[in-house]
Short mmCIF file of all heavy atoms in Angstrom, two decimals:
data_model
loop_
_atom_site.label_atom_id
_atom_site.label_comp_id
_atom_site.label_asym_id
_atom_site.label_seq_id
_atom_site.Cartn_x
_atom_site.Cartn_y
_atom_site.Cartn_z
N ASN W 1 33.89 62.58 -9.55
CA ASN W 1 33.90 61.11 -9.61
C ASN W 1 33.47 60.63 -10.98
O ASN W 1 32.56 61.21 -11.58
CB ASN W 1 32.94 60.52 -8.57
CG ASN W 1 33.48 60.61 -7.17
OD1 ASN W 1 34.67 60.72 -6.97
ND2 ASN W 1 32.59 60.54 -6.20
N GLN W 2 34.11 59.57 -11.44
CA GLN W 2 33.81 59.02 -12.76
C GLN W 2 33.16 57.65 -12.63
O GLN W 2 33.30 56.98 -11.61
CB GLN W 2 35.09 58.93 -13.58
CG GLN W 2 35.80 60.26 -13.74
CD GLN W 2 34.98 61.27 -14.51
OE1 GLN W 2 34.65 61.05 -15.66
NE2 GLN W 2 34.62 62.37 -13.86
N ARG W 3 32.48 57.24 -13.67
CA ARG W 3 31.80 55.95 -13.70
C ARG W 3 32.39 55.08 -14.81
O ARG W 3 32.87 55.60 -15.82
CB ARG W 3 30.29 56.13 -13.95
CG ARG W 3 29.58 56.90 -12.83
CD ARG W 3 29.67 56.13 -11.52
NE ARG W 3 28.91 56.74 -10.46
CZ ARG W 3 29.44 57.40 -9.44
NH1 ARG W 3 30.73 57.56 -9.35
NH2 ARG W 3 28.69 57.90 -8.49
N ASN W 4 32.31 53.77 -14.64
CA ASN W 4 32.85 52.83 -15.62
C ASN W 4 32.28 53.08 -17.01
O ASN W 4 31.06 53.17 -17.19
CB ASN W 4 32.54 51.39 -15.22
CG ASN W 4 33.32 50.96 -14.00
OD1 ASN W 4 34.26 51.61 -13.57
ND2 ASN W 4 32.90 49.84 -13.42
N ASN W 5 33.20 53.21 -17.97
CA ASN W 5 32.89 53.32 -19.40
C ASN W 5 32.14 54.59 -19.79
O ASN W 5 31.60 54.66 -20.89
CB ASN W 5 32.15 52.08 -19.89
CG ASN W 5 33.00 50.85 -19.72
OD1 ASN W 5 34.17 50.85 -20.06
ND2 ASN W 5 32.42 49.81 -19.15
N TYR W 6 32.10 55.58 -18.93
CA TYR W 6 31.59 56.91 -19.27
C TYR W 6 32.81 57.82 -19.41
O TYR W 6 33.85 57.57 -18.82
CB TYR W 6 30.69 57.46 -18.17
CG TYR W 6 29.27 56.92 -18.20
CD1 TYR W 6 29.01 55.59 -17.90
CD2 TYR W 6 28.21 57.76 -18.50
CE1 TYR W 6 27.72 55.09 -17.93
CE2 TYR W 6 26.91 57.27 -18.52
CZ TYR W 6 26.67 55.93 -18.23
OH TYR W 6 25.39 55.45 -18.26
N SER W 7 32.65 58.87 -20.17
CA SER W 7 33.70 59.89 -20.23
C SER W 7 33.15 61.19 -19.68
O SER W 7 31.95 61.30 -19.40
CB SER W 7 34.22 60.07 -21.65
OG SER W 7 33.23 60.62 -22.50
N TYR W 8 34.02 62.18 -19.54
CA TYR W 8 33.65 63.47 -18.98
C TYR W 8 34.36 64.54 -19.80
O TYR W 8 35.55 64.41 -20.09
CB TYR W 8 34.09 63.53 -17.52
CG TYR W 8 33.72 64.81 -16.80
CD1 TYR W 8 32.42 65.04 -16.39
CD2 TYR W 8 34.69 65.77 -16.52
CE1 TYR W 8 32.08 66.21 -15.71
CE2 TYR W 8 34.36 66.94 -15.84
CZ TYR W 8 33.05 67.15 -15.44
OH TYR W 8 32.73 68.31 -14.78
N GLY W 9 33.64 65.55 -20.19
CA GLY W 9 34.27 66.61 -20.98
C GLY W 9 33.28 67.67 -21.41
O GLY W 9 32.20 67.80 -20.84
N TYR W 10 33.67 68.41 -22.44
CA TYR W 10 32.87 69.53 -22.94
C TYR W 10 31.92 69.09 -24.03
O TYR W 10 32.32 68.41 -24.98
CB TYR W 10 33.78 70.63 -23.48
CG TYR W 10 34.52 71.37 -22.40
CD1 TYR W 10 35.83 71.04 -22.09
CD2 TYR W 10 33.91 72.38 -21.68
CE1 TYR W 10 36.52 71.70 -21.09
CE2 TYR W 10 34.58 73.04 -20.67
CZ TYR W 10 35.88 72.70 -20.38
OH TYR W 10 36.55 73.36 -19.38
N ASP W 11 30.65 69.49 -23.88
CA ASP W 11 29.66 69.22 -24.93
C ASP W 11 29.75 70.33 -25.99
O ASP W 11 30.57 71.25 -25.86
CB ASP W 11 28.27 69.07 -24.33
CG ASP W 11 27.65 70.37 -23.81
OD1 ASP W 11 28.25 71.46 -23.98
OD2 ASP W 11 26.56 70.31 -23.22
N PRO W 12 28.94 70.28 -27.05
CA PRO W 12 29.01 71.30 -28.10
C PRO W 12 28.71 72.73 -27.62
O PRO W 12 29.08 73.69 -28.29
CB PRO W 12 27.96 70.84 -29.12
CG PRO W 12 27.92 69.35 -28.94
CD PRO W 12 28.11 69.14 -27.46
N GLN W 13 28.08 72.87 -26.46
CA GLN W 13 27.82 74.21 -25.90
C GLN W 13 28.86 74.61 -24.86
O GLN W 13 28.66 75.54 -24.09
CB GLN W 13 26.42 74.27 -25.27
CG GLN W 13 25.28 74.28 -26.27
CD GLN W 13 25.06 72.91 -26.91
OE1 GLN W 13 25.10 71.88 -26.24
NE2 GLN W 13 24.84 72.91 -28.21
N ASP W 14 29.99 73.90 -24.82
CA ASP W 14 31.09 74.15 -23.88
C ASP W 14 30.69 74.01 -22.42
O ASP W 14 31.23 74.67 -21.54
CB ASP W 14 31.73 75.53 -24.12
CG ASP W 14 32.60 75.54 -25.35
OD1 ASP W 14 33.09 74.47 -25.75
OD2 ASP W 14 32.80 76.63 -25.92
N GLN W 15 29.75 73.11 -22.16
CA GLN W 15 29.35 72.77 -20.79
C GLN W 15 29.98 71.42 -20.44
O GLN W 15 30.00 70.51 -21.27
CB GLN W 15 27.83 72.68 -20.68
CG GLN W 15 27.10 73.96 -21.02
CD GLN W 15 27.43 75.07 -20.06
OE1 GLN W 15 27.43 74.88 -18.84
NE2 GLN W 15 27.71 76.25 -20.60
N LEU W 16 30.49 71.30 -19.22
CA LEU W 16 31.06 70.02 -18.78
C LEU W 16 29.94 69.03 -18.51
O LEU W 16 28.99 69.34 -17.78
CB LEU W 16 31.93 70.22 -17.55
CG LEU W 16 33.28 70.88 -17.82
CD1 LEU W 16 33.96 71.28 -16.53
CD2 LEU W 16 34.17 69.96 -18.64
N ARG W 17 30.07 67.85 -19.09
CA ARG W 17 29.05 66.81 -18.99
C ARG W 17 29.71 65.44 -18.93
O ARG W 17 30.85 65.25 -19.32
CB ARG W 17 28.16 66.81 -20.24
CG ARG W 17 27.45 68.09 -20.53
CD ARG W 17 26.18 68.16 -19.75
NE ARG W 17 25.35 69.25 -20.22
CZ ARG W 17 24.84 70.17 -19.44
NH1 ARG W 17 25.05 70.13 -18.16
NH2 ARG W 17 24.11 71.13 -19.92
N TYR W 18 28.93 64.45 -18.49
CA TYR W 18 29.30 63.05 -18.62
C TYR W 18 28.76 62.56 -19.96
O TYR W 18 27.70 63.01 -20.40
CB TYR W 18 28.66 62.21 -17.50
CG TYR W 18 29.28 62.44 -16.15
CD1 TYR W 18 28.76 63.39 -15.28
CD2 TYR W 18 30.37 61.69 -15.73
CE1 TYR W 18 29.32 63.60 -14.02
CE2 TYR W 18 30.93 61.89 -14.47
CZ TYR W 18 30.40 62.85 -13.64
OH TYR W 18 30.95 63.05 -12.40
N PHE W 19 29.48 61.63 -20.59
CA PHE W 19 29.05 61.07 -21.86
C PHE W 19 28.92 59.56 -21.74
O PHE W 19 29.89 58.88 -21.40
CB PHE W 19 30.04 61.42 -22.98
CG PHE W 19 30.14 62.90 -23.23
CD1 PHE W 19 31.17 63.62 -22.66
CD2 PHE W 19 29.20 63.56 -24.00
CE1 PHE W 19 31.28 64.99 -22.86
CE2 PHE W 19 29.29 64.92 -24.21
CZ PHE W 19 30.34 65.64 -23.64
N GLN W 20 27.73 59.05 -22.03
CA GLN W 20 27.50 57.62 -22.00
C GLN W 20 28.28 56.94 -23.13
O GLN W 20 28.72 55.80 -22.99
CB GLN W 20 26.01 57.31 -22.13
CG GLN W 20 25.69 55.84 -21.96
CD GLN W 20 24.20 55.60 -21.92
OE1 GLN W 20 23.38 56.50 -22.10
NE2 GLN W 20 23.82 54.36 -21.67
N THR W 21 28.46 57.65 -24.23
CA THR W 21 29.25 57.14 -25.35
C THR W 21 30.48 58.03 -25.51
O THR W 21 30.40 59.12 -26.07
CB THR W 21 28.42 57.15 -26.65
OG1 THR W 21 27.22 56.40 -26.44
CG2 THR W 21 29.21 56.56 -27.80
N PRO W 22 31.63 57.60 -24.98
CA PRO W 22 32.86 58.39 -25.13
C PRO W 22 33.22 58.56 -26.61
O PRO W 22 32.86 57.72 -27.45
CB PRO W 22 33.91 57.55 -24.41
CG PRO W 22 33.13 56.73 -23.43
CD PRO W 22 31.85 56.42 -24.15
N SER W 23 33.92 59.65 -26.91
CA SER W 23 34.27 59.93 -28.31
C SER W 23 35.73 60.36 -28.44
O SER W 23 36.02 61.46 -28.89
CB SER W 23 33.35 61.01 -28.86
OG SER W 23 33.45 62.19 -28.06
N PRO W 24 36.68 59.49 -28.05
CA PRO W 24 38.09 59.88 -28.13
C PRO W 24 38.52 60.15 -29.57
O PRO W 24 38.29 59.35 -30.46
CB PRO W 24 38.82 58.66 -27.56
CG PRO W 24 37.88 57.52 -27.75
CD PRO W 24 36.51 58.10 -27.63
N GLY W 25 39.11 61.33 -29.79
CA GLY W 25 39.62 61.69 -31.10
C GLY W 25 38.61 62.34 -32.02
O GLY W 25 38.94 62.68 -33.16
N THR W 26 37.38 62.53 -31.56
CA THR W 26 36.35 63.18 -32.36
C THR W 26 35.54 64.12 -31.47
O THR W 26 35.66 64.10 -30.25
CB THR W 26 35.39 62.15 -33.01
OG1 THR W 26 34.73 61.42 -31.97
CG2 THR W 26 36.12 61.19 -33.92
N ALA W 27 34.69 64.92 -32.11
CA ALA W 27 33.87 65.89 -31.38
C ALA W 27 32.91 65.17 -30.43
O ALA W 27 32.39 64.10 -30.76
CB ALA W 27 33.08 66.75 -32.36
N ASN W 28 32.69 65.75 -29.28
CA ASN W 28 31.75 65.21 -28.31
C ASN W 28 30.34 65.54 -28.74
O ASN W 28 30.07 66.64 -29.23
CB ASN W 28 32.01 65.77 -26.92
CG ASN W 28 33.37 65.40 -26.40
OD1 ASN W 28 33.96 64.42 -26.83
ND2 ASN W 28 33.89 66.18 -25.47
N GLY W 29 29.44 64.61 -28.53
CA GLY W 29 28.04 64.84 -28.85
C GLY W 29 27.33 65.55 -27.71
O GLY W 29 27.93 65.96 -26.72
N ALA W 30 26.04 65.67 -27.85
CA ALA W 30 25.22 66.28 -26.81
C ALA W 30 25.01 65.28 -25.67
O ALA W 30 25.05 64.07 -25.88
CB ALA W 30 23.87 66.70 -27.38
N SER W 31 24.83 65.80 -24.47
CA SER W 31 24.57 64.96 -23.31
C SER W 31 23.75 65.75 -22.31
O SER W 31 23.97 66.94 -22.13
CB SER W 31 25.88 64.51 -22.66
OG SER W 31 25.61 63.78 -21.48
N THR W 32 22.83 65.08 -21.67
CA THR W 32 22.04 65.73 -20.63
C THR W 32 22.50 65.30 -19.24
O THR W 32 21.92 65.72 -18.25
CB THR W 32 20.55 65.39 -20.80
OG1 THR W 32 20.40 63.97 -20.75
CG2 THR W 32 20.01 65.93 -22.11
N ILE W 33 23.53 64.45 -19.17
CA ILE W 33 24.01 63.95 -17.88
C ILE W 33 24.95 64.99 -17.27
O ILE W 33 26.05 65.21 -17.77
CB ILE W 33 24.76 62.61 -18.03
CG1 ILE W 33 23.92 61.61 -18.80
CG2 ILE W 33 25.14 62.06 -16.65
CD1 ILE W 33 24.68 60.36 -19.21
N THR W 34 24.51 65.65 -16.21
CA THR W 34 25.32 66.71 -15.60
C THR W 34 26.02 66.26 -14.33
O THR W 34 26.93 66.92 -13.86
CB THR W 34 24.45 67.93 -15.26
OG1 THR W 34 23.40 67.52 -14.38
CG2 THR W 34 23.88 68.55 -16.52
N GLY W 35 25.59 65.16 -13.77
CA GLY W 35 26.20 64.68 -12.53
C GLY W 35 25.83 63.24 -12.30
O GLY W 35 25.15 62.62 -13.10
#
């Protein structure tokens, strides 16, 4: 399930995470949101 204005993808350690600040077209930052 996704939330409004969050993205979901791979963090720099190749772990799937939610991102409070989406980064389309650039590298994803770190995130501690796992679910």
Side-chain angles (χ1 to χ4, degrees):
N1 285 338
Q2 302 297 298
R3 297 297 186 253
N4 291 346
N5 299 314
Y6 280 68
S7 67
Y8 182 75
Y10 288 98
D11 71 5
Q13 287 75 42
D14 285 336
Q15 300 296 314
L16 286 169
R17 302 276 192 231
Y18 288 92
F19 297 98
Q20 186 173 5
T21 304
S23 58
T26 62
N28 297 337
S31 175
T32 58
I33 308 169
T34 57

